């Protein structure tokens, strides 16, 4: 261009020599040459190289993948320091390879750590001017190659460089097959939401650049303003004299700019370590800077808060002193005051203590939904023992297994279950006492609070969860963890004596722990729903509309059955409901708005955790619904709880990157009753605690941190079965 411009400006003819061939000559030659044995050799290589490759690189995205690509894109520019650039060049010299290969190796590691995949395909473009005759031709010779690498063996970075070099050399030796022809022959299952064969690409621009000088003109580069991209993610690196300049090109309907900024920082940290210590294994190469490590491990877990470390029943007894005549529990057409509930629980507690119940004793509760159920659990704790709920709907074999394996010597039941209890005694030789709570045999017992024997570090209850194994696991929870939970909930959500909670969960479900002890600790009223009411959504909704219920707490699925009825709720009435707790994993994104439309004063709160972490250990107040959400966020850890999203090495994952979810802190249960091996496998040493002996619980959930510190639940790592949102035990 410079030569021609100068010649024509002066009225001269073109001084450039005529070309011996034109692009059309090359195209004609290629079609004749790339046939038969030559074509078969090229095709056979690529068929073998790409056989069984994943169809999609599953990078974690900020938005759901659209069904059809829009190709809308943006660029983020950054640079690598002179020190890193120099280190990369030295690494190339040491391993007798090119800068592209080393960068390809590092890019593969980054993509693998983000996606969790170890079979990574990266696209690249190659000049494809591999004949001297075509060096000076104007024409599109560029071809696209697929570099597929296997990171599953977790090699050292310097060894992985060799693999990347071999992959690149194999691709270069078979670069003549046009990419579009390769796609046509391989015929992968096409999906309009992403490109075939690869979705991430790497391009190193290292061709020498010359300055264009034109007589009488001053020239300067200007951006192209490109707002499109062919791939989910593309990394362009330009080789300058002292440092590398880079651009991430990304799809804006998948990624936010902030995500790409973090990704560029993670690449920088990865490269810094790789050039400094290439002997590290791939999984050991860090992504987090010191600042981000501090943030995700400590700053987002700064939840320390003082609370009264006491026993759960003591919090109830304090309310008895304050409000003895307030209604504590309602069931059907019956009700009982705080003073009456305390008296009846005390008499049963004295009876239990006379029967030998003391701290760490375990007492089974085999009762239906009733006032007596609340009396029974309070009495067991007042006696100093720990209650073990047994569902009357469970198969007899399961109940007997729990009674026998966990050496329950006493069970509380009533006349409705005399026959089942008698069979239980026959089947379980250690079961020495079956006590009927509906018989007036304790009227002579003292009515005052029994002498306190239990300590906050004694067991309060054992709730059984089978998780995904099908084998009942008894989770041992101590009073201290329950006190921490109650203090946080009642303070955070301002639960007062004016509240009434509709108790719809089973005593065998850990939500019942707060429903009973948290409600009573606040001086509020428990409205126990009957079996018949729970089974009929219309009756439950009528209770919410007609009774002064201020508080609902359940798994999302339990309220979901009411959702179709909410549209019929009259909008011109005032309702008492002001607080809706949903506990579990998936909450239908449309449900909170439907509730607020029917009950305009209701605040909807997402709570998460595990039975092993004392009911709840995180929360998220659901305000505005983001239409891009796949599910409601888990939120942030509650007081004295910590959450960690970790990779397979227990290293923290960056914000946005999926990992395994762990819970730590005062919320943790003691472990699994009678199973030290399982306890040790699930409750492992906490590597981030500055106090010796601290543990963290492996939940079995996949999750990731958002940029704001909120946790997003991504699903289970196992094949846990749920039907209509209910986990099948």
């Amino acid at each position: 261009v410079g030569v021609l411009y100068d010649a024509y400006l002066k009225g001269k003819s073109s001084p450039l020599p005529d070309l011996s061939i034109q692009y059309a000559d090359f195209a004609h030659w290629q079609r004749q040459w790339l046939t038969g044995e030559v074509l078969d050799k090229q095709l056979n290589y690529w068929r073998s190289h790409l056989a069984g490759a994943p169809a999609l690189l599953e990078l974690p995205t900020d938005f759901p993948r659209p069904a059809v690509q829009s190709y809308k894109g943006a660029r983020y520019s950054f640079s690598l320091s002179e020190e890193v650039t120099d280190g990369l060049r030295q690494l190339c010299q040491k391993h007798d390879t090119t800068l592209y290969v080393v960068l390809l190796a590092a890019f593969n590691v980054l993509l693998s750590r983000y996606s969790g995949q170890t079979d990574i395909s990266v696209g690249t473009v190659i000049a494809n001017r591999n004949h001297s005759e075509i060096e000076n031709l104007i024409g599109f010779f560029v071809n696209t190659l697929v570099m597929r690498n296997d990171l599953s063996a977790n090699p050292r970075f310097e060894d992985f460089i060799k693999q990347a070099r071999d992959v690149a050399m194999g691709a270069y030796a078979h670069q003549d097959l046009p990419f579009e022809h390769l796609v046509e022959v391989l015929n992968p299952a096409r999906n309009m939401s992403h490109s075939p064969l690869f979705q991430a690409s790497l391009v190193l621009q290292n061709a020498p650049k010359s300055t264009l000088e034109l007589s009488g003109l001053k020239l300067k580069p200007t951006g192209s303003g490109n707002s499109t991209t062919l791939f989910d993610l593309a990394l362009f690196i330009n080789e300058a004299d002292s440092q590398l300049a880079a651009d991430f090109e990304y799809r804006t309907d998948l990624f936010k700019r902030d995500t790409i900024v973090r990704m560029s920082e993670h690449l920088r940290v990865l490269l810094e370590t790789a050039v400094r210590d290439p002997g590290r294994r791939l999984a050991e190469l860090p992504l987090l800077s010191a600042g981000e490590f501090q943030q995700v491990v400590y700053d987002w877990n700064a939840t320390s808060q003082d609370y009264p470390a006491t026993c759960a029943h003591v919090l109830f007894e304090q309310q008895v002193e304050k409000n003895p005549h307030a209604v504590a529990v309602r069931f059907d057409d019956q009700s009982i005051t705080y003073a009456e509930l305390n008296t009846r629980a005390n008499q049963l507690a004295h009876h239990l203590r006379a029967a030998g119940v003391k701290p760490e004793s375990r007492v089974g509760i085999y009762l239906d939904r009733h006032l007596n159920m609340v009396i029974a659990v309070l009495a067991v704790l007042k006696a100093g023992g720990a209650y073990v709920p047994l569902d009357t709907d469970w198969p007899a074999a399961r109940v007997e297994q729990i009674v026998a394996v966990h050496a329950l010597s006493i069970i509380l039941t009533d006349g409705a279950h005399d026959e089942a209890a008698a069979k239980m005694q026959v089947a379980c030789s250690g079961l020495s006492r079956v006590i009927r709570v509906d018989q007036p045999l304790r009227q002579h017992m003292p009515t005052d609070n029994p002498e306190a024997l239990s300590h906050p570090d004694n067991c309060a209850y054992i709730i059984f969860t089978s998780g995904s194994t099908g084998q009942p696991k008894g989770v041992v929870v101590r009073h201290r963890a329950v006190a921490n939970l109650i203090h946080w909930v009642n303070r955070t959500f301002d639960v007062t004596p004016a509240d009434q909670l509709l108790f719809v969960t089973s005593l065998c479900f850990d939500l019942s722990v707060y429903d009973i002890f948290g409600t009573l600790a606040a001086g509020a009223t428990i409205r126990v729903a009957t079996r018949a009411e729970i089974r009929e959504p219309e009756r439950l909704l009528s209770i919410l509309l007609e009774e002064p219920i201020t508080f609902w707490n359940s798994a999302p699925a339990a309220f979901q059955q009411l959702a179709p009825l909410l549209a019929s709720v009259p909008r011109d009435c005032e309702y008492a409901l002001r607080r809706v707790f949903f506990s579990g994993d998936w909450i239908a994104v449309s449900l909170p708005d439907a509730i607020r439309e029917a009950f305009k004063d209701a605040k909807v709160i997402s709570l998460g955790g595990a039975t092993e972490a004392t009911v709840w250990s995180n929360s998220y107040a659901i305000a505005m619904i983001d239409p891009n959400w796949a599910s409601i966020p888990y939120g942030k850890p509650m007081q004295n709880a910590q959450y960690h999203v970790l990779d397979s090495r227990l290293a923290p994952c960056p914000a946005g990157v999926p990992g395994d979810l762990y819970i730590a802190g005062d919320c943790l249960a003691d472990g699994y009753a009678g199973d030290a091996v399982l306890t040790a496998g699930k409750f492992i040493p906490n590597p981030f605690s500055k106090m010796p002996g601290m543990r963290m619980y492996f939940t079995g959930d996949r999750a990731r941190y958002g940029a704001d510190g909120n946790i997003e639940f991504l699903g289970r790592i196992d094949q846990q079965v749920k039907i209509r949102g209910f986990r099948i035990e």
Side-chain angles (χ1 to χ4, degrees):
V1 171
V3 170
L4 292 174
Y5 183 88
D6 186 60
Y8 293 154
L9 193 67
K10 298 174 181 177
K12 298 180 179 178
S13 300
S14 168
L16 297 178
D18 291 336
L19 294 171
S20 60
I21 61 171
Q22 294 287 339
Y23 186 81
D25 300 314
F26 166 78
H28 178 70
W29 167 83
Q30 185 188 53
R31 290 191 180 193
Q32 288 185 319
W33 173 74
L34 199 55
T35 57
E37 185 178 341
V38 174
L39 178 61
D40 289 342
K41 181 181 178 182
Q42 295 270 335
L43 284 173
N44 289 339
Y45 169 81
W46 289 110
R47 284 195 182 103
S48 174
H49 181 60
L50 299 177
L56 179 64
L57 176 63
E58 297 178 358
L59 293 174
T61 62
D62 297 308
F63 310 109
R65 183 178 292 275
V68 178
Q69 297 182 80
S70 69
Y71 300 103
K72 294 178 181 177
R75 279 201 176 206
Y76 171 71
S77 300
F78 61 102
S79 61
L80 300 174
S81 68
E82 292 185 21
E83 182 181 4
V84 170
T85 302
D86 185 58
L88 287 169
R89 288 171 174 157
Q90 291 181 30
L91 203 57
C92 296
Q93 293 176 352
K94 179 179 178 181
H95 293 280
D96 191 25
T97 192
T98 63
L99 181 60
Y100 172 81
V101 166
V102 176
L103 291 170
L104 175 64
F107 193 43
N108 268 272
V109 176
L110 181 74
L111 296 176
S112 177
R113 297 283 286 279
Y114 262 70
S115 66
Q117 297 168 266
T118 56
D119 189 344
I120 306 293
S121 294
V122 173
T124 193
V125 293
I126 190 167
N128 207 27
R129 293 175 182 259
N130 49 7
H131 299 277
S132 59
E133 295 86 351
I134 62 178
E135 283 187 8
N136 292 323
L137 287 188
I138 294 175
F140 190 76
F141 294 88
V142 169
N143 195 18
T144 301
L145 305 178
V146 184
M147 307 290 189
R148 183 186 180 190
N149 278 277
D150 178 10
L151 294 80
S152 60
N154 190 29
R156 296 180 302 172
F157 184 73
E158 57 190 2
D159 293 330
F160 186 58
I161 290 174
K162 298 174 185 176
Q163 182 193 135
R165 180 182 61 192
D166 292 343
V167 167
M169 294 300 289
Y172 296 155
H174 301 85
Q175 64 179 286
D176 294 298
L177 184 70
F179 181 73
E180 59 272 20
H181 186 62
L182 173 63
V183 174
E184 180 183 345
V185 171
L186 293 183
N187 192 27
R190 299 304 294 269
N191 190 313
M192 296 298 290
S193 70
H194 60 80
S195 56
L197 302 187
F198 67 90
Q199 295 81 44
S201 69
L202 170 66
V203 177
L204 175 63
Q205 305 280 14
N206 59 354
K209 292 184 178 180
S210 58
T211 301
L212 178 60
E213 296 180 357
L214 304 179
S215 300
L217 297 180
K218 292 182 179 180
L219 305 177
K220 66 178 181 179
T222 182
S224 65
N226 183 31
S227 60
T228 62
T229 184
L230 294 175
F231 308 111
D232 292 357
L233 186 70
L235 175 60
F236 295 90
I237 297 182
N238 292 285
E239 190 172 2
D241 292 335
S242 58
Q243 64 185 84
L244 298 176
D247 294 276
F248 265 128
E249 188 177 271
Y250 59 96
R251 285 179 56 184
T252 53
D253 50 7
L254 292 181
F255 303 105
K256 296 178 181 177
R257 177 182 171 86
D258 289 347
T259 298
I260 302 302
V261 172
R262 286 197 306 274
M263 187 181 292
S264 67
E265 177 68 6
H266 297 154
L267 178 62
R268 181 190 64 78
V269 173
L270 189 157
L271 287 171
E272 284 180 352
T273 308
V275 299
R276 187 174 61 249
D277 186 7
R280 283 205 193 189
R281 296 197 175 273
L282 303 186
E284 297 173 356
L285 292 170
L287 300 183
L288 295 175
S289 65
E292 192 175 1
F293 183 93
Q294 172 69 30
Q295 181 184 58
V296 300
V297 174
Y298 297 110
D299 294 350
W300 285 345
N301 284 309
T303 59
S304 179
Q305 177 72 44
D306 290 335
Y307 65 96
T310 186
C311 294
H313 60 281
V314 172
L315 298 173
F316 160 70
E317 292 170 352
Q318 292 170 355
Q319 286 298 327
V320 174
E321 294 294 322
K322 294 178 183 178
N323 301 294
H325 304 300
V327 175
V329 186
R330 293 195 299 119
F331 174 77
D332 209 359
D333 58 353
Q334 306 172 59
S335 63
I336 188 171
T337 67
Y338 272 79
E340 293 167 338
L341 178 60
N342 194 48
T343 295
R344 293 174 64 177
N346 284 342
Q347 289 179 313
L348 181 55
H350 283 292
H351 186 77
L352 289 171
R353 190 165 287 182
V357 173
K358 58 184 183 297
E360 302 303 323
S361 296
R362 299 168 183 179
V363 180
I365 307 288
Y366 193 66
L367 290 165
D368 288 328
R369 308 179 65 79
H370 193 272
L371 295 178
N372 286 332
M373 181 179 69
V374 180
I375 293 169
V377 296
L378 280 169
V380 172
L381 297 193
K382 282 171 169 283
Y387 73 91
V388 181
L390 304 167
D391 198 313
T392 55
D393 284 336
W394 281 348
R398 173 166 180 159
V399 176
E400 291 166 5
Q401 177 192 16
I402 291 174
V403 171
V405 171
H406 297 281
L408 303 187
S409 60
I410 298 175
I411 283 183
L412 301 181
T413 188
D414 57 18
H417 302 97
D418 264 348
E419 184 178 348
K423 292 180 179 179
M424 208 182 301
Q425 262 191 299
V426 172
C428 306
S429 59
L431 180 56
S432 58
R433 299 286 298 274
V434 174
I435 299 175
R436 289 263 304 268
V437 299
D438 56 346
Q439 290 182 339
L441 301 177
R442 291 166 296 281
Q443 292 181 354
H444 64 283
M445 286 290 180
T447 60
D448 58 330
N449 295 333
E451 177 190 356
L453 296 181
S454 53
H455 183 273
D457 288 325
N458 285 133
C459 177
Y461 64 85
I462 300 175
I463 282 182
F464 286 84
T465 171
S466 68
S468 306
T469 66
Q471 296 301 317
K473 302 192 297 278
V475 182
V476 179
V477 178
R478 307 206 170 271
H479 284 275
R480 184 184 299 275
V482 178
N484 178 59
L485 169 78
I486 291 172
H487 178 262
W488 175 76
V489 174
N490 289 353
R491 177 179 57 86
T492 303
F493 301 105
D494 191 27
V495 186
T496 71
D499 282 302
Q500 286 200 34
L501 178 138
L502 184 58
F503 182 19
V504 296
T505 58
S506 164
L507 189 65
C508 298
F509 189 24
D510 62 351
L511 295 189
S512 64
V513 174
Y514 176 80
D515 288 351
I516 294 176
F517 299 107
T519 305
L520 294 177
T525 301
I526 304 170
R527 190 337 191 151
V528 181
T530 66
R531 279 193 173 205
E533 288 168 341
I534 290 174
R535 290 170 177 170
E536 296 183 32
E538 293 80 3
R539 292 182 67 177
L540 284 178
L541 183 59
S542 294
I543 294 172
L544 295 178
L545 299 179
E546 298 168 8
E547 298 184 24
I549 302 297
T550 63
F551 201 156
W552 172 286
N553 177 32
S554 77
F559 199 100
Q560 189 68 44
Q561 61 184 333
L562 277 65
L565 308 174
L566 294 179
S568 64
V569 174
R571 300 298 195 263
D572 55 350
C573 298
E574 296 288 334
Y575 304 107
L577 188 66
R578 69 183 185 92
R579 194 184 297 105
V580 177
F581 281 5
F582 285 143
S583 309
D585 38 40
W586 297 108
I587 301 173
V589 175
S590 60
L591 188 56
D593 283 344
I595 292 171
R596 288 189 289 252
E597 191 170 332
F599 302 94
K600 62 181 180 181
D601 293 328
K603 290 182 171 59
V604 184
I605 311 297
S606 167
L607 293 145
T611 305
E612 292 86 347
T614 316
V615 190
W616 301 313
S617 44
N618 65 69
S619 71
Y620 183 82
I622 306 170
M624 298 295 292
I625 298 295
D626 187 330
N628 293 308
W629 280 346
S631 65
I632 305 297
Y634 251 27
K636 297 181 179 180
M638 73 174 210
Q639 73 177 29
N640 302 309
Q642 293 89 47
Y643 269 66
H644 298 294
V645 180
L646 308 178
D647 63 19
S648 59
R649 297 184 308 108
L650 301 183
C653 294
V657 177
D660 295 328
L661 188 64
Y662 292 79
I663 306 174
D666 290 3
C667 59
L668 285 195
D670 203 45
Y672 299 109
D675 198 333
V677 174
L678 184 61
T679 298
K682 287 285 192 175
F683 293 82
I684 65 175
N686 183 353
F688 310 110
S689 175
K690 298 173 183 176
M691 296 177 60
M694 294 295 100
R695 305 171 304 153
M696 61 183 185
Y697 167 66
F698 174 51
T699 66
D701 294 337
R702 294 285 290 174
R704 64 176 178 173
Y705 266 116
D708 58 358
N710 281 304
I711 300 160
E712 179 186 358
F713 174 76
L714 301 175
R716 295 283 300 173
I717 63 172
D718 53 28
Q719 300 299 315
Q720 189 178 86
V721 175
K722 288 194 175 186
I723 296 179
R724 295 192 300 276
F726 292 98
R727 187 170 71 185
I728 305 305
E729 301 291 1

